């Protein structure tokens, strides 16, 4: 086997580097680094490893602003998923991942493979997946195209998650014209393991075999990483060759085989073949280890004939893992692989020299320094420019409209807005109860999952508001962290850590990168103030369709610990006669709100102001009250403000309420304000003194605004006027029926 010389055909093919996503400067950098022109296969390797999706070349500098370490963090960014300690030598593993561009082209297949991919990220760490969530964005739910995307994405998520037996316990769905051409499909998975089961994606032991575990390799998904690192065009939407096809049954078997191998103690290193497939998994494992690898592609299981090295290395066929084991454990690997019906050939060897070598039909077809593929990928900090629209919007009056003629009708209309309305149409398709540990299913502030047969539980949420970030990236960035943490606190959990799904437009446009940079600043400040480290995540840039970017949309997945199931709280009223409290100050803040969009048909002004010190103090006081057993129900105030929160608490608790609100504000600007750092709570009257004393000690604004009614009436008074008198049944029908009505 000698050193190869590129053929004339390969030399001609090198001119295609631009079509693979490499710039002229990047190609020149490659030739200078390796001292020659790369052949066609090598150009393909660089094109995927230096893509935005794999190298984070436009985002890496900004991501360094996030806090990533804390006492509870066992694994931060850099591996398949992050890990936080939950005590008793147990830990939870979690990460969020996007599948945006593929979902615009093949919504069913892409959303299913998105779930499969994030499952592999988690169980590659040694954890058994115990819960999944999603965060979805679509255009307005009034066109056949958007309805089809929504329906097929939900169907794909359900098909994969239900089959592998991992409960889908929560998530969020928003609809806005901004996502018309470029939907967002972000999936999150949480897993459980013992500390001694943690595995990482590394090579170990020179001479040890490298094993391919899982399904066969086909031509699906080739250049998926580069496809996800560019803007969507009309031509892209007609093609599906860049979308990998999943197989949930094979995914289940690969998961079980991998976990059994880890539990048997034979795995030294493991990583899933995700974006960029065999290339990224093998190169990244080598880079993290300071070692090299040689792969023989003749041994790669193929389901299509005459596959070239380029095709095998760039394929993103699903349900595949890469393992390193000691030679003496090969028999055990083969036995377990046969038991689960998955392929497990030896396809390579760990080498001391830090080179990345590929052999095919007896020839050396790639020979590159490992670091050149990974650590030496370019890092950019593009120019920034404040978007021209921003000052104009921020100076506009956010409420240039009169009061509604009927507040009852205004509330009903808000409850029917697809972004506010019940998402039961979607989550009823999910198996929320798989594994039998779901304590709080979709529909409350956060999902709650019991840890095994203990009294311990974790609360999980996904959250994001692209409108706020669009109107003020830094403030919007702060709010997304605070809102996710509030969801956990309202469920009785102490936030432990977060994973970020950062969805933005092209970083090569200065105004987009300005949004990205400033929202990261806001998120980082909130993470530091609220003591929530970012332990894993995903960046998805180039979310544009035909030149128009989505709203800058950071999504946060967050996990918190509930030490005792008796401390779990939900948003619905519990007992007739319980006292209802509003905690936090309400300002006339409707910029970027659901109410503003309902009345104006667009958003303008500024998003709500947030004081992170007040947020931290409020969250701590509410959590303390819950831990002391003083709170019967808790709901954070978000879209639609206090009016919508009251309706949701009534609907969830199947009970009514009578409240009297007092303010100098115009009624609608109070009722539908989305001011931050606010909670709606109910308590037992016997706990009034202790509860109010705790809030007073924390110096928080609060008011006892009413009582829970057992007769199903919804009565809202404002000053001397009864603004809304209706019944919960009517509110529930509007809220629950909105999306089914639109879909049917």
């Amino acid at each position: 086997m000698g050193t190869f010389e590129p053929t004339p055909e390969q030399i001609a093919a090198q001119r295609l580097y631009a079509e693979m996503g490499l710039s002229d400067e990047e190609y020149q950098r490659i030739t200078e680094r390796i001292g020659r022109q790369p052949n066609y296969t090598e150009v393909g390797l660089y094109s995927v490893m230096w893509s935005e999706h794999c190298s984070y070349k436009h985002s890496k500098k900004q991501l360094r602003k996030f806090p990533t370490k804390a006492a509870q963090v066992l694994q931060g960014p850099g591996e398949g998923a992050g890990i936080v300690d939950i005590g008793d030598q147990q830990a939870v593993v979690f990460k969020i991942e996007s599948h945006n561009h593929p979902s615009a082209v093949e919504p069913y297949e892409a959303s299913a493979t998105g779930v499969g991919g994030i499952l592999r990220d988690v169980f590659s760490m040694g954890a058994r997946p115990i819960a999944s969530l999603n965060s979805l964005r679509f255009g307005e739910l009034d066109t056949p195209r958007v309805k089809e995307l929504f329906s097929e994405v939900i169907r794909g998520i359900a098909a994969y998650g239900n089959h592998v037996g991992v409960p889908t316990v929560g998530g969020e769905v928003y609809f806005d014209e901004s996502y018309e051409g470029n939907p967002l499909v972000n999936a999150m998975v949480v897993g459980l393991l013992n500390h001694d089961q943690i595995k990482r994606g590394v090579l170990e032991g020179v001479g040890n075999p490298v094993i391919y575990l899982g399904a066969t390799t086909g031509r699906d998904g080739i250049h998926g990483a580069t496809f996800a690192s560019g803007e969507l065009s009309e031509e892209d939407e007609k093609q599906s060759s860049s979308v990998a096809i999943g197989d949930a049954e094979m995914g289940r078997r690969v998961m079980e085989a991998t976990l059994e191998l880890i539990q048997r103690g034979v795995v030294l290193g493991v990583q899933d073949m995700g974006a960029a497939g065999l290339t990224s998994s093998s190169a990244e494992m080598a880079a993290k280890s300071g070692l090299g690898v040689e792969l023989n592609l003749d041994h790669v299981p193929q389901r299509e004939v005459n596959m070239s090295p380029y095709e095998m290395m760039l394929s993103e066929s699903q349900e595949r893992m890469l393992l390193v084991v000691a030679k003496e454990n090969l028999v055990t690997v083969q036995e377990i692989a046969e038991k689960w019906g998955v392929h497990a050939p030896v396809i390579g060897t760990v080498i001391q020299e830090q080179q990345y070598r590929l052999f095919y039909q007896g020839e050396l077809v790639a020979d590159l320094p490992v670091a050149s593929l990974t650590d030496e990928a370019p890092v950019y900090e593009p120019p920034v420019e404040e978007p021209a629209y921003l000052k104009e919007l921020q100076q506009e009056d956010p409420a240039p409209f009169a009061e509604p003629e009927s507040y009852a009708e205004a509330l009903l209309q808000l409850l029917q807005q697809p972004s506010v309305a019940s998402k039961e149409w979607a989550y009823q398709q999910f198996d929320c109860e798989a594994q039998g540990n779901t304590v709080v299913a979709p529909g409350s502030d956060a999902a709650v999952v019991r840890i095994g047969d203990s009294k311990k539980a974790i609360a999980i949420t996904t959250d994001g508001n692209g409108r706020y970030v669009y109107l003020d990236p830094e403030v919007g960035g702060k709010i997304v962290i605070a809102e996710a943490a509030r969801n956990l606190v309202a469920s009785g959990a102490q936030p432990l850590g977060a994973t970020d799904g950062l969805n933005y437009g092209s970083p090569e446009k200065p105004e987009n990168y300005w949004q990205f940079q400033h929202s990261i600043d806001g998120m980082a400040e909130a993470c530091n103030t609220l003591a929530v480290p970012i332990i894993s995540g995903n960046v998805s840039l180039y979310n544009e369709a035909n030149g128009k970017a989505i709203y800058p949309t950071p999504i946060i997945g967050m996990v918190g610990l509930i030490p005792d199931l008796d401390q779990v709280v939900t948003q619905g009223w519990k007992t007739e006669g319980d006292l209802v409290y509003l905690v936090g100050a309400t300002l006339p803040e409707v910029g970027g709100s659901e109410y503003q969009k309902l009345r104006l048909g667009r958003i303008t002004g500024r998003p709500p102001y947030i004081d992170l010190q007040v947020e931290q103090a409020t969250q701590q006081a509410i959590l303390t009250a819950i831990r002391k057993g003083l709170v019967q129900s808790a709901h954070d105030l978000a879209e639609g403000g206090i009016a919508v929160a009251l309706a949701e608490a009534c609907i969830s608790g199947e009970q009514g309420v009578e409240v009297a609100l007092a303010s100098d504000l115009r009624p609608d600007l109070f009722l539908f304000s989305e001011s931050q750092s606010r909670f709606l709570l109910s308590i037992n009257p016997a706990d009034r003194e202790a509860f109010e004393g705790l809030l007073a000690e924390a110096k928080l604004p609060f008011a006892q605004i009413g009582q829970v009614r057992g007769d199903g009436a919804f009565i809202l008074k404002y000053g001397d006027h009864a603004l809304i008198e209706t019944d919960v049944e009517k509110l529930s029908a509007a809220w629950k029926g909105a999306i089914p009505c639109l879909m049917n």
Side-chain angles (χ1 to χ4, degrees), residues 239-444:
Q239 300 180 10
S240 58
S241 60
S242 294
V243 180
I245 308 300
D247 179 340
E249 172 55 23
M250 176 58 74
R252 183 189 67 82
R253 287 190 267 136
V254 171
M255 177 176 71
E256 296 298 347
T258 303
L259 290 174
E260 185 169 345
L261 285 166
I262 290 171
Q263 289 160 4
R264 292 279 290 273
V266 302
V267 175
L268 299 174
V270 54
Q271 186 161 319
D272 82 293
M273 298 188 210
L278 183 53
T279 300
S280 62
S281 56
S282 54
E284 289 170 1
M285 290 176 76
K288 286 184 282 189
S289 311
L291 296 170
V293 66
E294 292 182 349
L295 301 179
N296 188 332
L297 302 186
D298 298 336
H299 298 155
V300 172
Q302 301 162 50
R303 66 170 175 267
E304 299 184 45
V305 297
N306 299 322
M307 290 190 71
S308 68
Y310 172 91
E311 291 173 324
M312 283 186 272
M313 294 307 297
L314 271 64
S315 168
E316 292 186 6
S317 293
Q318 297 294 288
E319 287 75 57
R320 302 180 302 158
M321 309 292 289
L322 199 64
L323 313 176
V324 177
V325 303
K327 294 177 184 177
E328 59 268 25
N329 289 321
L330 280 174
V331 172
T332 302
V333 172
Q334 296 303 323
E335 288 175 348
I336 292 174
E338 185 175 350
K339 170 185 172 181
W340 291 105
V342 297
H343 297 277
V346 174
I347 65 164
T349 306
V350 180
I351 62 173
Q352 185 70 54
E353 189 180 1
Q354 294 177 33
Q355 286 292 112
Y356 189 83
R357 297 194 179 108
L358 305 178
F359 294 91
Y360 175 68
Q361 296 182 353
E363 297 293 327
L364 180 65
V365 295
D367 189 1
L368 303 167
V370 169
S372 72
L373 290 167
T374 55
D375 301 339
E376 296 172 13
V379 177
Y380 301 123
E381 189 162 19
V384 296
E385 182 180 336
E386 182 175 324
Y389 72 83
L390 206 56
K391 286 183 179 177
E392 181 181 341
L393 287 184
Q394 290 181 348
Q395 290 171 358
E396 283 189 30
D397 179 358
F401 43 77
E403 286 187 58
E405 292 183 8
S406 166
Y407 277 89
E409 185 61 30
L411 176 56
L412 283 172
Q413 289 176 347
L414 263 180
L415 292 172
Q416 291 174 315
Q417 294 303 296
S419 292
V420 174
S422 168
K423 308 307 184 299
E424 187 176 1
W425 183 91
Y427 65 69
Q428 69 182 359
Q429 300 180 49
F430 305 144
D431 184 351
C432 307
E433 303 295 336
Q435 301 184 14
N437 285 320
T438 303
V439 177
V440 178
S444 197

Side-chain angles (χ1 to χ4, degrees), residues 347-638:
I347 65 164
T349 306
V350 180
I351 62 173
Q352 185 70 54
E353 189 180 1
Q354 294 177 33
Q355 286 292 112
Y356 189 83
R357 297 194 179 108
L358 305 178
F359 294 91
Y360 175 68
Q361 296 182 353
E363 297 293 327
L364 180 65
V365 295
D367 189 1
L368 303 167
V370 169
S372 72
L373 290 167
T374 55
D375 301 339
E376 296 172 13
V379 177
Y380 301 123
E381 189 162 19
V384 296
E385 182 180 336
E386 182 175 324
Y389 72 83
L390 206 56
K391 286 183 179 177
E392 181 181 341
L393 287 184
Q394 290 181 348
Q395 290 171 358
E396 283 189 30
D397 179 358
F401 43 77
E403 286 187 58
E405 292 183 8
S406 166
Y407 277 89
E409 185 61 30
L411 176 56
L412 283 172
Q413 289 176 347
L414 263 180
L415 292 172
Q416 291 174 315
Q417 294 303 296
S419 292
V420 174
S422 168
K423 308 307 184 299
E424 187 176 1
W425 183 91
Y427 65 69
Q428 69 182 359
Q429 300 180 49
F430 305 144
D431 184 351
C432 307
E433 303 295 336
Q435 301 184 14
N437 285 320
T438 303
V439 177
V440 178
S444 197
D445 289 56
V448 178
V449 177
R450 183 174 60 243
I451 299 300
D453 57 1
S454 72
K455 292 208 71 176
K456 192 164 54 178
I458 55 170
I460 322 163
T461 187
T462 55
D463 216 286
N465 191 316
R467 295 178 193 164
Y468 290 168
V469 182
Y470 178 72
L471 293 177
D472 189 322
E474 189 165 343
V475 172
K478 294 176 184 178
I479 288 174
V480 68
I481 299 294
E483 166 72 8
R486 278 200 302 275
N487 285 336
L488 299 186
V489 168
S491 302
Q494 175 69 56
L496 293 177
T499 179
D500 58 5
L502 306 178
N503 306 276
Y504 295 79
S506 168
E508 297 168 47
K509 298 177 180 178
E511 64 274 15
N512 290 348
Y513 202 74
W514 188 91
Q515 293 173 330
F516 181 67
Q517 183 183 77
H518 283 262
S519 59
I520 294 288
D521 289 341
M523 294 169 69
E525 184 180 346
C527 285
N528 281 312
T529 302
L530 301 178
V532 180
I534 301 286
I535 66 164
S536 62
N538 170 74
V539 178
S540 175
L541 303 180
Y542 298 97
N543 285 290
E544 306 200 5
N546 302 314
K548 186 176 181 180
I550 61 164
Y551 285 152
T553 310
I555 302 296
I556 286 295
M558 198 175 289
V559 174
L561 180 64
I562 303 173
D564 191 323
L565 284 169
D566 292 339
Q567 296 171 348
V568 172
V569 176
T570 57
Q571 67 185 27
W573 308 135
K574 300 301 183 293
T575 307
E576 180 180 5
D578 279 351
L579 305 181
V580 176
Y581 282 78
L582 173 60
V583 178
T586 302
L587 303 174
E589 296 178 304
V590 295
S593 70
E594 280 292 334
Y595 181 62
Q596 182 190 61
K597 187 184 177 218
L598 174 68
R599 297 298 304 274
L600 285 184
R602 62 187 180 90
I603 61 166
T604 189
R606 292 179 178 272
Y609 171 75
I610 183 167
D611 182 323
L612 291 171
Q613 298 298 329
V614 170
E615 181 72 41
Q616 194 276 337
T618 304
Q619 290 190 19
Q620 190 56 53
I622 299 303
L623 186 58
T624 299
I626 290 173
R627 295 279 169 89
K628 289 178 176 289
L630 302 176
V631 176
Q632 297 298 305
S633 71
H635 191 13
D636 84 298
L637 270 62

Side-chain angles (χ1 to χ4, degrees), residues 673-691:
S673 166
E674 294 183 6
S675 290
Q676 298 297 294
S677 311
R678 296 186 300 162
F679 287 86
L680 178 67
L681 305 148
S682 66
I683 70 166
N684 187 309
D687 295 322
R688 179 171 188 160
E689 184 178 350
F691 178 71

Side-chain angles (χ1 to χ4, degrees), residues 1-20:
M1 300 181 192
T3 303
F4 57 82
E5 291 293 333
T7 65
E9 291 79 10
Q10 288 175 320
I11 292 173
Q14 289 161 6
R15 299 181 187 128
L16 298 175
Y17 65 83
E19 294 181 17
M20 296 186 194

Side-chain angles (χ1 to χ4, degrees), residues 18-96:
E19 294 181 17
M20 296 186 194
L22 292 169
S23 68
D24 293 344
E25 294 77 12
E26 288 170 345
Y27 184 75
Q28 180 64 29
R29 182 171 174 171
I30 291 165
T31 59
E32 291 174 358
R33 174 65 176 89
I34 65 176
R36 57 177 171 80
Q37 285 199 330
N39 65 28
Y40 184 76
T41 298
E42 292 173 325
V43 172
L45 300 181
Y46 281 110
S47 73
V48 290
M49 291 305 295
W50 285 18
S51 70
E52 186 66 44
H53 198 77
C54 292
S55 73
Y56 295 89
K57 58 188 176 185
H58 288 101
S59 56
K60 192 172 287 185
K61 284 191 174 182
Q62 301 303 322
L63 297 178
R64 292 175 183 145
K65 297 175 180 177
F66 287 135
T68 59
K69 297 179 180 179
Q72 71 273 21
V73 176
L74 303 180
Q75 175 65 58
E79 283 292 338
I83 308 176
V84 292
D85 182 25
I86 58 169
D88 306 313
Q89 289 298 300
Q90 293 177 309
V92 288
V93 180
F94 57 94
K95 186 183 181 184
I96 198 167

